[in-house]
Amino acid sequence: MNLEVLGIIVLWIFLFGYVIVASIDFGAGFFNAYSLLTNKSHILSNIIQRYLSPVWEVTNVFLVFFFVGIVGFFPQTAFYYGTVLLVPVSIAIILLAVRGSYYAFESYGSRGHKGYAFAYGVSGLLIPSSLSVVLTISEGGFVDIIDDLPQLDFWALFTSPLTWSIVLLSIASVLYISAVFLTWYAWKAQDWEAHELMRKYALIWAGPLIFMAVAIIIQMQQHNPDRFRNMISIWPMFGISATLFLMTVWLIWKKRGLGLSVGLLILQFLFAFFAYGISHYPYLLYPHLTIYEGFTNQEMAISLVIAFIAGLCLLIPSLYLLFRLFLFNKEYVTGNQKDFHA
Amino acid sequence: MNESAVFWSRMLTELTLSFHIIYATIGVGVPLMIMIAQWVGMKNNDEHYILLARRITRGFVITVAVGVVTGTAIGLQLSLLWPNFMRLAGQVIALPLFMETFAFFFEAIFLGIYLYTWDRFDNQTKHMLLLIPVAIGASMSAVFITVVNSFMNTPQGFELVNGELVNIQPLVAMFNPSMPTKVAHVLASAYMTSAFLLASIAAFRLLKGSNHIYYKKSLFLMMKLGLIFSIATAVIGDFSGKFLAEYQPEKLAAAEWHFETEEAASLILLGFMDQEENIKLAIRIPYALSILAHGNPMAEVIGLNEFPEDEIPPLYIHYLFNIMVFIGMFMTLVSILYVAGVWRGWQFIKKVWFRWLTVLGGPLSIIAIETGWWLAEVGRQPWILRGYMRTAQGATTSEHVDMMFILFCILYIVLGIGSIVVLSRMYRANPIEQEIQDRMAEVEGGVR
């Protein structure tokens, strides 16, 4: 394997990590807001607070890691994407900033403002929408190189059905991932009311998720036949993903093996995410930039890989400790423990 | 090149950095203060210091949150606003940027654990040890980011042949000439500012009627720490002067309004410059500039006239430099008087006017941090990568930067006000007297 491919795999893994942990976070915020609207907030707020509080900062780091990493391994992306993404990414930053800081304000400062909870819930859907636009742009057809400078065609982007399909898929995924995870988490916390409610949401959002995923593949045929052929050529991976999806839904339907269902969910998205990534190879921005043209020099690549391995040696034990103390700690999850907050 | 995009890119970067640096400085310095307070509390078995650590931690989380989100903003803005710069520099200096995310990741994990495990472990020391990775992670983040900044000032570790970068050495780029002084100055000044901010809060509470021993202990501890770090900052500042004279003489000369190359150069303090570049009302200290630059009163100091007109930084950085230095000296003096006063039993340090000086120290230290960074950044102009790329060449060509500037302005106003309101509400709702009472009740309840 060459360094280019190694670099993009590492980054893709981190982006995948972000997609999963951020989806849980974004979806939880949305369900929380929705339950306030329907006067069911007492059911969800505890469980959501307990999961989110110690880990929210960690979520953000996955994203930072991805974009710092991609500029490190592929400095040309700073030029291409940096130039065209000013507006959508700035909006995403502002939403992330409001969301992240107000989460801290609310949970560590003063509690219980309704308007805030709605803003928090809505931002959880707007952020994935604005970030998913980056994937749409990478599919090609929206960026022209004029006088050696990349230019984004906003009009084409906003009128393309593909853009909106990807936005809808990102929202459906966020809600589905979050609902499945919280179904399990509530079950583990022995909060049966919350468990039932989340199970219902998980089953509801399974439909739109698979519908949008199929719709996008069909649209690709029109939008970019070249990319469509690539996607079809690795159909077994998408097939595995679909099978895992059906198994997850079945488990949740039958209320069996909920821990397993979260595992299958993650695998489902892993397969779909990597199938998509592989079909995108070798392009970073179709058709202008490939991972080979955009790559940094050998010396930098090697030192980044070494730093990455050293970093992982530090992080994996730390993350294990974090999860052991909170996510997988029965006493903590069920809330039987005293409050040890500072 | 798009002139307006260049202008607004500079404005937006300055805005984000100026806002972020307040929270970043607190983020770097305060974990050390929490650690020292908790350690002092455990060593002396004094519940007050442990409570101090605990109360600072609660507020710290709020500032960290704003630091994180604004840090994410500047991280992305580097590529959004300076795509040409990042494309070039990214090939040489991506390593410390990458390592910074690890340092921050490390800090974030342990801060989460520390925050949610007060009294969860039977052994208090175990809990305190969690702060070590927090403090190391926070300080290392500052180190790595400052390394990137120092590279912009004294780039090395590559060769430019026909517009292509060759012979790239990432470690040589990291350990560039301005790195040691810059990193040390940033760290020491962050610790100093954090200590004076916390001292300022304690002094304010004492002025506002509380006479609790908790605040007196807090004030004395923070003034001692502030004194140590302000002396360290001054010493490192002197090294920075010597570094500049050697590697970035135009920056030093502009900050000092030193035009003619001469031996036994005098230092210009304060003063104003009129339209014809005449210096008025300035204090000239003979030989001082030569001492600052080379440690030798007779040494030759290079003047601005040696440089082409379009390669010298704006002369207003002299004011920024003076503000920073005067605040530093002022705070060293205030803390010396206070610490000596406590030891010698001087009464004036308990007077209202002296308490107000201490209160002033918090905001003043922040101003010193701001002016210091403006000096560092404006003093590097017209370069973004000194000697290789001008700021205007690095900027984006996008049309919408001015609009983004307005949006981010609103964001920072909201975050700034929000964080202040939340912090003051948080401490007002749970004053120290109340918390000590609650703790006592808890402990007694446990005994029964």
Side-chain angles (χ1 to χ4, degrees):
Chain A
M1 193 181 348
N2 50 35
L3 279 170
E4 286 88 344
V5 173
L6 181 67
I8 197 70
I9 288 176
V10 165
L11 295 172
W12 205 236
I13 290 171
F14 264 81
L15 190 60
F16 175 72
Y18 180 68
V19 166
I20 296 295
V21 287
S23 292
I24 295 173
D25 179 347
F26 292 152
F30 177 78
F31 291 130
N32 188 33
Y34 183 72
S35 66
L36 269 174
L37 260 183
T38 51
N39 286 324
K40 286 178 184 158
S41 62
H42 58 283
I43 303 179
L44 289 181
S45 56
N46 255 334
I47 200 100
I48 288 174
Q49 279 283 339
R50 201 167 306 127
Y51 162 70
L52 286 181
S53 299
V55 298
W56 75 268
E57 256 190 294
V58 175
T59 312
N60 213 34
V61 187
F62 275 95
L63 178 66
V64 176
F65 191 96
F66 174 75
F67 72 70
V68 171
I70 199 156
V71 173
F73 278 104
F74 305 98
Q76 293 287 348
T77 52
F79 175 68
Y80 283 91
Y81 281 105
T83 307
V84 300
L85 287 178
L86 178 69
V87 176
V89 172
S90 291
I91 291 171
I93 301 172
I94 290 173
L95 290 168
L96 275 171
V98 170
R99 185 185 164 86
S101 53
Y102 274 80
Y103 176 75
F105 292 179
E106 169 87 0
S107 41
Y108 310 123
S110 51
R111 250 162 227 263
H113 194 274
K114 260 197 178 183
Y116 145 80
F118 289 124
Y120 192 72
V122 172
S123 70
L125 300 187
L126 291 178
I127 295 167
S129 309
S130 60
L131 289 178
S132 72
V133 169
V134 181
L135 287 182
T136 317
I137 291 173
S138 78
E139 292 300 340
F142 304 110
V143 175
D144 301 304
I145 308 287
I146 301 167
D147 298 335
D148 283 339
L149 285 172
Q151 301 277 345
L152 180 63
D153 186 345
F154 276 99
W155 178 250
L157 183 66
F158 281 105
T159 51
S160 162
L162 183 68
T163 309
W164 297 104
S165 304
I166 292 179
V167 165
L168 288 177
L169 176 67
S170 72
I171 292 175
S173 326
V174 159
L175 295 175
Y176 177 71
I177 292 173
S178 183
V180 172
F181 176 84
L182 290 171
T183 305
W184 166 73
Y185 195 78
W187 171 77
K188 219 179 155 203
Q190 300 172 357
D191 187 338
W192 307 121
E193 229 180 338
H195 168 69
E196 263 312 308
L197 191 62
M198 290 321 298
R199 177 175 166 270
K200 202 177 84 189
Y201 289 152
L203 293 173
I204 288 175
W205 284 102
L209 171 75
I210 208 71
F211 178 78
M212 287 321 300
V214 173
I216 286 169
I217 294 181
I218 293 169
Q219 283 177 44
M220 281 305 290
Q221 192 171 11
Q222 287 245 314
H223 182 80
N224 189 336
D226 188 23
R227 292 267 302 101
F228 176 74
R229 269 192 303 279
N230 281 342
M231 284 168 113
I232 294 305
S233 71
I234 47 161
W235 69 268
M237 282 185 80
F238 286 110
I240 293 171
S241 176
T243 314
L244 291 164
F245 166 76
L246 291 175
M247 285 161 73
T248 313
V249 174
W250 186 79
L251 284 174
I252 290 177
W253 182 267
K254 290 283 175 192
K255 298 190 191 178
R256 266 191 229 157
L258 293 173
L260 179 65
S261 76
V262 173
L264 293 178
L265 166 91
I266 293 173
L267 275 180
Q268 171 210 331
F269 275 86
L270 187 75
F271 270 95
F273 201 72
F274 270 80
Y276 172 80
I278 292 167
S279 78
H280 214 291
Y281 175 85
Y283 294 104
L284 288 168
L285 176 61
Y286 186 92
H288 304 297
L289 185 65
T290 67
I291 59 172
Y292 298 101
E293 293 155 1
F295 200 58
T296 189
N297 51 83
Q298 292 289 312
E299 292 78 9
M300 180 54 76
I302 291 166
S303 42
L304 287 176
V305 170
I306 293 171
F308 177 73
I309 293 168
L312 277 192
C313 295
L314 209 64
L315 284 189
I316 289 174
S318 322
L319 275 174
Y320 171 75
L321 183 66
L322 180 74
F323 287 151
R324 210 191 61 170
L325 283 170
F326 300 107
L327 196 54
F328 300 122
N329 183 301
K330 201 160 180 174
E331 291 286 298
Y332 177 82
V333 173
T334 51
N336 285 338
Q337 230 175 23
K338 216 176 102 191
D339 183 11
F340 291 123
H341 178 259
Chain B
M1 206 174 296
N2 180 341
E3 290 292 330
S4 122
V6 173
F7 174 77
W8 287 110
S9 294
R10 290 190 61 185
M11 292 298 286
L12 180 48
T13 309
E14 180 169 8
L15 176 75
T16 302
L17 280 176
S18 300
F19 187 73
H20 174 66
I21 198 62
I22 301 172
Y23 294 89
T25 301
I26 295 171
V28 171
V30 167
L32 186 69
M33 306 302 139
I34 299 174
M35 201 162 93
I36 292 172
Q38 196 172 3
W39 180 70
V40 170
M42 282 166 53
K43 204 185 66 173
N44 300 343
N45 208 2
D46 187 334
E47 185 71 15
H48 285 150
Y49 288 103
I50 293 178
L51 261 178
L52 177 65
R54 192 165 185 164
R55 284 172 71 87
I56 300 173
T57 304
R58 271 181 227 144
F60 178 64
V61 182
I62 303 290
T63 61
V64 165
V66 180
V68 170
V69 297
T70 53
T72 310
I74 189 63
L76 278 162
Q77 281 177 354
L78 273 182
S79 293
L80 295 174
L81 300 175
W82 310 99
N84 295 307
F85 165 68
M86 285 305 284
R87 169 161 75 165
L88 181 76
Q91 300 179 49
V92 192
I93 202 66
L95 183 61
L97 276 173
F98 193 61
M99 296 205 281
E100 194 273 345
T101 53
F102 279 107
F104 175 65
F105 210 151
F106 195 54
E107 177 198 350
I109 291 172
F110 281 92
L111 182 63
I113 298 176
Y114 178 76
L115 187 66
Y116 282 91
T117 52
W118 275 90
D119 300 338
R120 182 161 158 181
F121 305 113
D122 294 328
N123 184 351
Q124 271 273 342
T125 318
K126 233 174 165 181
H127 184 239
M128 196 196 82
L129 288 179
L130 288 170
L131 272 176
I132 293 174
V134 177
I136 290 178
S139 293
M140 287 314 284
S141 295
V143 169
F144 290 132
I145 289 303
T146 312
V147 165
V148 178
N149 185 268
S150 68
F151 173 78
M152 293 163 74
N153 282 281
T154 49
Q156 65 170 34
F158 64 95
E159 282 167 55
L160 201 60
V161 179
N162 302 329
E164 293 280 313
L165 292 177
V166 292
N167 197 12
I168 289 166
Q169 298 167 287
L171 287 177
V172 176
M174 279 179 71
F175 292 94
N176 60 72
S178 64
M179 180 261 191
T181 42
K182 232 182 214 305
V183 165
H185 197 65
V186 164
L187 285 181
S189 62
Y191 301 142
M192 169 192 132
T193 303
S194 300
F196 284 136
L197 264 181
L198 294 168
S200 156
I201 295 168
F204 186 73
R205 294 307 309 157
L206 286 170
L207 271 172
K208 287 292 162 189
S210 175
N211 207 22
H212 205 285
I213 182 79
Y214 167 86
Y215 287 118
K216 292 179 184 162
K217 286 178 181 171
S218 163
L219 179 61
F220 187 42
L221 176 66
M222 292 307 157
M223 287 301 257
K224 274 190 285 191
L225 292 170
L227 174 60
I228 294 167
F229 289 116
S230 59
I231 292 172
T233 309
V235 171
I236 297 159
D238 181 62
F239 285 127
S240 303
K242 297 189 173 33
F243 152 77
L244 283 177
E246 177 94 27
Y247 291 96
Q248 269 183 298
E250 78 282 9
K251 196 179 201 173
L252 182 71
E256 309 288 6
W257 284 348
H258 181 64
F259 293 94
E260 300 292 339
T261 302
E262 60 184 0
E263 291 173 1
S266 48
L267 182 74
I268 296 176
L269 271 186
L270 302 173
F272 293 92
M273 188 178 274
D274 63 17
Q275 298 291 330
E276 284 88 45
E277 298 199 342
N278 295 315
I279 300 164
K280 291 180 178 159
L281 297 172
I283 305 166
R284 283 172 195 271
I285 308 175
Y287 307 112
L289 185 56
S290 287
I291 295 174
L292 175 69
H294 299 287
N296 171 1
M298 302 317 281
E300 183 183 80
V301 182
I302 299 172
L304 273 181
N305 293 347
E306 306 289 321
F307 298 91
E309 191 78 7
D310 66 339
E311 283 184 16
I312 57 174
L315 293 175
Y316 73 81
I317 60 172
H318 178 73
Y319 303 116
L320 301 174
F321 177 72
N322 277 200
I323 293 170
M324 175 185 81
V325 168
F326 271 92
I327 291 174
M329 294 195 307
F330 174 75
M331 289 317 297
T332 313
L333 186 70
V334 169
S335 50
I336 284 179
L337 286 177
Y338 186 83
V339 173
V342 171
W343 282 333
R344 314 285 310 199
W346 294 338
Q347 283 309 302
F348 75 89
I349 58 161
K350 293 178 185 159
K351 293 269 160 51
V352 170
W353 64 268
F354 195 85
R355 290 262 196 262
W356 275 115
L357 284 186
T358 317
V359 173
L360 209 60
L364 279 180
S365 304
I366 297 278
I367 293 173
I369 293 280
E370 296 283 3
T371 48
W373 274 108
W374 293 332
L375 167 68
E377 293 300 287
V378 179
R380 195 190 57 242
Q381 302 306 320
W383 303 105
I384 191 166
L385 193 60
R386 184 174 174 271
Y388 292 94
M389 183 185 256
R390 284 170 185 267
T391 307
Q393 297 167 320
T396 183
T397 44
S398 177
E399 293 294 328
H400 311 283
V401 191
D402 47 351
M403 189 61 209
M404 296 303 118
F405 178 82
I406 295 170
L407 286 182
F408 277 98
C409 256
I410 298 169
L411 173 71
Y412 298 144
I413 292 171
V414 169
L415 293 184
I417 294 176
S419 57
I420 292 169
V421 168
V422 168
L423 281 173
S424 60
R425 232 191 251 159
M426 185 192 285
Y427 288 110
R428 221 169 273 153
N430 187 12
I432 184 66
E433 290 81 0
Q434 181 68 41
E435 186 160 2
I436 288 174
Q437 245 175 36
D438 293 349
R439 292 289 292 178
M440 301 280 264
E442 212 174 282
V443 171
E444 278 169 25
V447 170
R448 269 176 220 152

